[in-house]
Amino acid sequence: MNSLKIAIGLGALASLAACVETSGTSSGGQMDVAAGAPPFIEGVFDASDAAVNACRNLLASQTTGGVRVVGSEFSQANSAVYMRVGANGAPWRCLVSDDGRNPSVMFMGSEGTL
């Protein structure tokens, strides 16, 4: 009888463990980029200051928790600026002309982790 109770208890614990919701963050404490999302560049800084500032300012006006620029890449068509927001490091990308005109931001994390 005790064996049966122990087996049922262990089964219940295993079921509960399977129900734990993950936070959507990587082991470094930052939210992961969603699977299938465009590349997210960190550690490379090629875009102009005008592009970076336009993107940072736009995202800061739409979010709370602090914006960190973590990378950027220059392109004659549109530069891309990669940023993380808040304590969980939510990933965002901004496409902008290199002179800072027409910035457009896009959340790069999984919508399920918002």
Side-chain angles (χ1 to χ4, degrees):
M1 187 71 160
N2 283 338
S3 306
L4 180 60
K5 288 180 182 179
I6 290 172
I8 291 172
L10 289 174
L13 284 175
S15 295
L16 286 174
C19 293
V20 174
E21 183 176 301
T22 61
S23 66
T25 59
S26 64
S27 60
Q30 295 191 101
M31 182 182 293
D32 291 328
V33 175
F40 189 81
I41 310 295
E42 293 188 74
V44 176
F45 298 92
D46 293 333
S48 71
D49 288 344
V52 170
N53 289 333
C55 288
R56 181 189 300 119
N57 292 339
L58 176 61
L59 189 56
S61 74
Q62 296 178 0
T63 60
T64 59
V67 174
R68 285 183 300 118
V69 175
V70 296
S72 67
E73 57 186 345
F74 169 80
S75 168
Q76 290 184 0
N78 266 326
S79 290
V81 178
Y82 302 92
M83 299 167 284
R84 291 202 175 263
V85 176
N88 68 345
W92 289 79
R93 180 181 75 171
C94 175
L95 297 178
V96 61
S97 66
D98 206 49
D99 64 3
R101 286 180 294 142
N102 302 316
S104 174
V105 293
M106 180 175 102
F107 178 65
M108 300 286 290
S110 171
E111 295 292 333
T113 61
L114 285 176

